[in-house]
Amino acid sequence: MKSTIAATLSTVALMTQAQNPFFQDFTATPHGTTPFDKISVTDYEPAIDRGIELGLQEVDAIVKQRSVPDFDNTIVALERSGKDLNRVLNVFYPLLSALSDDEMMGLSMRVTPKLSDYQTSISLNEGLWNRIKQVYDSRSKFNLTPEDSMLLQTTYDSFVRSGALLQGADREKYRKLSARLSELTTLFGQNVLKELNTYEIWLTADDLAGLPESSVEAAALAAKEKGREGEYLFTLAQPTYMAFMKYSSRPDLREKFYRLYNGRNTKGEYSNVEILKEIAATRLELANLMGFETYADYSLEHTMAQTPEKVYELLYQLRDAYRPAQIAEFKELADFASKLEGKPIKINPWDYSYYSNKLKNEKYSYNEEELRPYFELNNVIDGVFGLATKLYGLTFVENKEIPVYHPDVKAFDVNDKDGSYLGVIYTDFFPRDSKRPGAWMTGFKDEFYTADGKSSRPHVSIVMNFTKPTDSKPSLLTPYEVETFLHEFGHALHGLLADTKYASLSGTAVYRDFVELPSQFNENYLTQKAFLDGFARHYETGEPIPQEYVDKIISSSQFGAAYACLRQLNFGLVDMAWHTVTAPVEDAEAFEQKAGESVAMFEPIEGLMLSPQFSHIFSGGYAAGYYSYKWAEVLDADAFAMFLENGIFDQKTADSFRRNVLMKGGTENPAELYRRFRGQDPTIDALLERDGIKSPEKKPAQGNLPMPKDR
């Protein structure tokens, strides 16, 4: 009887395995894309468990082989291990951000310790480390290409940075710290999403003064979907919040929205205050264990900046350059608001978007709502994709045979100028409760070359939170949303155009302060008439965007540049403060205020904080790295200056950018890649000129980007 039961259970187990889509390569879909239509939440955990088991077996085989360690049997073998685990994680984590629910979040909390232990088991495997070290120490004997050398160096460095040199009790301490950090960062991110989804702000028709028709329609539709017709439902989803703060003429409601939005995760069930303090303390302890004074010293070792001092040098350079302009901007804004209201007006943080939008409209007759009809989403898709056609010869064709994970998602085949297949891009544009706020690019499969030399092409995804279509109108974007699209598409091109041998060096797998260059470079095209003329046309009449509107976009592009810069500098300084601490922080709110006081533009408000919702640094990959947006902004302005000199669609310049930046991934030092493209070190001059801080004819006081010279 027992044997019959055992046989039955074995058969059931085999059937379950056969039904799990992750237990085999994806071969039944176009281009081997993910079979989302076959995957259920219950498939992830057994696939992760199996992937961990197989990955450890592969590592064990590398360690136990009798062959003398060499580059192929150790470094390349390790690079190619873990394929089964990667297949499931490359789906699970993107959907955890784009299509999550309580079940997915609970699963994430369960598997996070397993994955942390798995990674630590590999990084602290003494037998594996000994083989890697032998190869590294005898690297001059191997005939390595530059890319091979980079893989060896990054593999060696990653093991050192993961505790391979630790001994005895320090190894176990590293394991515990890593596991705790994984748990904390996962919980932080989940709290941000969970609390955001709790906000429902119900308004009546009397509360809608100043709001554009698109916002009112969206709020009415949201209320209708909740069964409350005649009312208006607003949330704190980014496009909803930004539109309300910009257009509502009710200062009391603007203040209410502002306090809710900026008070998120500071108290109650989803408070992140104690969690972020523990994250910072744990990171410090880990850095100290590795021999670094601060986490920033540890984190920045493999970046273009290399040291906290160089980061602060850039941030303070920009602060000093932009602060006088910001003071002048605020005086002009306060004078305008006082004149408009007929009484003295103090600009509060919830007033800035409202009055600056009105001032911008007066100075340039610029109203983003008037421009929405010219940026219908499908036309914008044609325009943004068309930019890659003009620059690099790429074509995009929707492929409805490719499974998608949500009805809003579309998938496109991407082909090169010679017609050859380059990869797949998924687009996911609209907000939903299961999606975190913001915009990002991710991938379901990296580019690499197989063992037999065949190019395995990438599958990338761009995810945003644009204004949804309503019953009466399609999705119409603001210029800011078009800029966001351009940004994430730049990341996508970095992944799609990759041509590297190893997946771990492919696409966006570059130094963190280099990764934003392709994305921010793309944003420059929003102010170029030749680009806008190609797709911006009225969604009803088909008329191209009037020249006067194009002129407004261009002429107003410098409006508020100093405010925007100091706002970003605040993010960067708060990030650096948390990661340059040498002792745990007691009062998080006071600590944050002090960190940003040199760039503060408003008086602090008790109970409102950035840090508890700052997912980039506490649950994303930007710890001690948020500065990289400004670092890369210097790079992108400097790079685009070359296109302005040669022509914004100049093929020779575009080919050089593709060849030296987009295709190379992390195979070479980014400083060298940039110099190869540009012919010189980047300077901050172009950024200051683009933002109107310095006129082109005046010699800027600042010079080169403060990269260390001993590269």
Side-chain angles (χ1 to χ4, degrees):
M1 183 70 171
K2 288 183 179 179
S3 60
T4 303
I5 293 174
T8 302
L9 291 173
S10 177
T11 301
V12 170
L14 289 172
M15 289 176 62
T16 302
Q17 289 186 12
Q19 293 169 355
N20 192 316
F22 292 114
F23 281 23
Q24 50 272 319
D25 291 336
F26 301 151
T27 57
T29 52
H31 312 300
T33 47
T34 304
F36 292 110
D37 54 335
K38 302 290 193 297
I39 295 171
S40 66
V41 176
T42 57
D43 292 324
Y44 289 112
E45 192 162 12
I48 289 172
D49 290 342
R50 174 179 176 272
I52 289 173
E53 181 181 354
L54 292 176
L56 291 175
Q57 289 175 8
E58 291 168 337
V59 168
D60 192 52
I62 294 172
V63 173
K64 290 183 176 179
Q65 62 181 306
R66 295 185 177 181
S67 305
V68 175
D70 64 26
F71 180 74
D72 288 325
N73 68 25
T74 301
I75 307 303
V76 175
L78 180 62
E79 164 75 10
R80 291 178 176 154
S81 67
K83 180 186 73 169
D84 295 88
L85 181 59
N86 290 337
R87 182 166 55 241
V88 58
L89 296 183
N90 285 348
V91 178
F92 176 68
Y93 279 116
L95 293 197
L96 188 62
S97 294
L99 195 70
S100 193
D101 56 19
D102 289 342
E103 189 177 4
M104 285 282 282
M105 291 181 188
L107 173 59
S108 175
M109 293 302 296
R110 291 199 304 275
V111 302
T112 291
K114 298 180 186 180
L115 293 168
S116 176
D117 189 62
Y118 168 72
Q119 292 296 338
T120 306
S121 296
I122 294 175
S123 62
L124 298 182
N125 185 311
E126 291 194 45
L128 180 61
W129 165 243
N130 288 335
R131 290 187 68 90
I132 292 169
K133 191 173 185 305
Q134 286 184 58
V135 177
Y136 185 79
D137 289 343
S138 57
R139 58 193 179 278
S140 61
K141 297 193 308 185
F142 304 111
N143 185 27
L144 302 181
T145 66
E147 186 172 352
D148 293 339
S149 296
M150 181 62 79
L151 179 65
L152 175 57
Q153 187 68 56
T154 56
T155 302
Y156 177 85
D157 289 345
S158 70
F159 271 74
V160 170
R161 292 173 60 78
S162 298
L165 296 178
L166 298 176
Q167 300 296 323
D170 285 345
R171 285 187 160 232
E172 183 58 27
K173 184 177 182 181
Y174 178 87
R175 184 188 295 271
K176 289 181 178 179
L177 289 172
S178 297
R180 182 57 178 160
L181 198 54
S182 294
E183 181 182 358
L184 289 167
T185 55
T186 300
L187 183 58
F188 184 100
Q190 291 188 0
N191 281 348
V192 170
L193 179 59
K194 286 179 178 179
E195 175 151 333
L196 183 67
N197 288 337
T198 65
Y199 290 97
E200 291 187 350
I201 306 165
W202 292 91
L203 300 181
T204 67
D206 294 336
D207 301 320
L208 307 178
L211 295 180
E213 184 181 353
S214 59
S215 293
V216 173
E217 284 187 352
L221 178 61
K224 181 180 178 182
E225 290 173 348
K226 294 277 187 176
R228 294 171 63 170
E229 288 195 60
E231 295 184 78
Y232 300 87
L233 173 58
F234 291 83
T235 69
L236 295 183
Q238 194 174 51
T240 304
Y241 173 75
M242 290 176 65
F244 195 93
M245 298 304 291
K246 181 181 291 186
Y247 296 109
S248 173
S249 58
R250 289 276 300 275
D252 58 327
L253 291 178
R254 293 200 306 268
E255 180 177 357
K256 176 182 179 178
F257 271 69
Y258 182 86
R259 288 182 179 275
L260 288 174
Y261 191 85
N262 292 281
R264 289 176 295 140
N265 303 105
T266 58
K267 55 187 179 296
E269 180 183 1
Y270 302 122
S271 173
N272 274 331
V273 176
E274 294 304 315
I275 293 172
L276 70 88
K277 286 161 60 177
E278 188 178 352
I279 289 173
T282 304
R283 285 172 173 164
L284 171 61
E285 193 173 0
L286 189 148
N288 291 163
L289 183 66
M290 301 300 293
F292 294 87
E293 182 180 7
T294 72
Y295 185 81
D297 288 294
Y298 168 72
S299 178
L300 291 167
E301 190 178 33
H302 290 90
T303 62
M304 293 182 77
Q306 291 190 322
T307 67
E309 291 73 23
K310 290 298 180 183
V311 172
Y312 278 116
E313 183 179 343
L314 174 67
L315 297 181
Y316 291 152
Q317 257 189 350
L318 295 176
R319 177 198 63 189
D320 294 344
Y322 282 78
R323 177 60 104 180
Q326 179 265 319
I327 293 172
E329 284 180 2
F330 269 44
K331 183 181 185 306
E332 181 186 24
L333 188 61
D335 290 345
F336 167 78
S338 299
K339 181 180 178 181
L340 183 70
E341 303 294 352
K343 61 182 180 180
I345 293 291
K346 175 187 175 183
I347 302 298
N348 292 304
W350 50 83
D351 298 321
Y352 178 81
S353 293
Y354 176 73
Y355 286 118
S356 65
N357 180 61
K358 287 190 172 298
L359 175 58
K360 187 177 184 180
N361 190 26
E362 178 171 285
K363 290 182 72 170
Y364 306 104
S365 297
Y366 185 89
N367 185 337
E368 284 198 329
E369 292 304 309
E370 292 180 359
L371 296 177
R372 279 188 188 270
Y374 296 96
F375 294 114
E376 190 272 325
L377 179 56
N378 290 312
N379 290 340
V380 175
I381 292 172
D382 291 342
V384 174
F385 285 2
L387 177 62
T389 304
K390 288 184 174 70
L391 291 175
Y392 314 116
L394 311 188
T395 55
F396 301 79
V397 180
E398 185 177 359
N399 188 338
K400 295 185 178 180
E401 299 301 313
I402 295 176
V404 293
Y405 57 85
H406 188 274
D408 287 346
V409 178
K410 294 183 178 181
F412 297 81
D413 289 342
V414 185
N415 298 314
D416 209 342
K417 52 188 169 186
D418 62 359
S420 60
Y421 165 71
L422 268 181
V424 170
I425 184 170
Y426 298 83
T427 61
D428 182 357
F429 290 127
F430 306 124
R432 52 180 173 268
D433 290 344
S434 59
K435 184 195 290 189
R436 68 174 173 87
W440 62 94
M441 169 266 179
T442 187
F444 298 109
K445 177 181 172 296
D446 294 321
E447 175 272 342
F448 63 94
Y449 277 78
T450 61
D452 58 0
K454 294 181 180 177
S455 177
S456 182
R457 301 308 304 169
H459 305 154
V460 307
S461 175
I462 49 177
V463 188
M464 280 153 276
N465 282 277
F466 290 157
T467 305
K468 290 190 71 171
T470 66
D471 292 338
S472 61
K473 287 182 182 177
S475 178
L476 303 175
L477 309 189
T478 65
Y480 174 79
E481 289 176 317
V482 178
E483 183 179 79
T484 300
F485 190 170
L486 284 164
H487 179 102
E488 300 307 334
F489 186 62
H491 283 311
L493 290 175
H494 204 179
L496 287 167
L497 292 173
D499 186 25
T500 62
K501 190 175 179 181
Y502 306 112
S504 65
L505 301 178
S506 178
T508 57
V510 299
Y511 284 176
R512 190 172 47 201
D513 45 11
F514 192 67
V515 74
E516 297 296 336
L517 168 59
S519 56
Q520 294 181 183
F521 166 81
N522 262 21
E523 294 178 22
N524 288 279
Y525 282 89
L526 183 62
T527 58
Q528 300 301 310
K529 180 179 181 300
F531 170 64
L532 294 174
D533 282 348
F535 70 95
R537 55 187 180 273
H538 199 285
Y539 78 101
E540 290 179 317
T541 67
E543 291 295 315
I545 187 169
Q547 180 61 46
E548 62 179 292
Y549 284 179
V550 176
D551 292 341
K552 289 174 185 179
I553 293 175
I554 296 170
S555 62
S556 66
S557 62
Q558 295 176 345
F559 181 84
Y563 166 83
C565 179
L566 263 70
R567 181 174 178 271
Q568 287 293 100
L569 294 180
N570 178 63
F571 293 159
L573 289 170
V574 168
D575 171 32
M576 289 300 294
W578 280 113
H579 295 109
T580 52
V581 294
T582 55
V585 172
E586 294 297 327
D587 187 336
E589 186 173 347
F591 178 84
E592 177 182 301
Q593 289 177 9
K594 182 172 174 44
E597 64 183 356
S598 73
V599 294
M601 295 175 284
F602 304 101
E603 295 177 3
I605 300 173
E606 185 178 354
L608 305 189
M609 295 174 63
L610 163 68
S611 299
Q613 55 195 271
F614 203 170
S615 297
H616 271 76
I617 69 170
F618 289 114
S619 65
Y622 280 82
Y626 200 87
Y627 78 92
S628 61
Y629 285 100
K630 298 309 294 184
W631 188 281
E633 199 172 346
V634 173
L635 291 174
D636 90 68
D638 187 75
F640 195 67
M642 188 171 179
F643 279 82
L644 291 174
E645 293 168 10
N646 300 332
I648 64 169
F649 300 125
D650 180 66
Q651 288 300 293
K652 183 178 179 181
T653 310
D655 287 345
S656 177
F657 192 71
R658 173 178 179 168
R659 184 174 62 254
N660 292 306
V661 176
L662 298 176
M663 289 174 58
K664 289 292 187 179
T667 59
E668 295 185 55
N669 187 300
E672 295 304 320
L673 293 177
Y674 190 83
R675 291 184 186 114
R676 199 177 301 154
F677 158 69
R678 191 67 170 96
Q680 63 185 40
D681 277 343
T683 75
I684 71 171
D685 301 9
L687 176 60
L688 297 179
E689 292 172 10
R690 185 176 71 186
D691 283 349
I693 305 303
K694 297 247 179 217
S695 58
E697 58 272 12
K698 291 183 179 178
K699 185 177 181 181
Q702 290 80 16
N704 290 348
L705 191 67
M707 294 188 299
K709 298 300 182 184
D710 54 334
R711 302 209 60 83

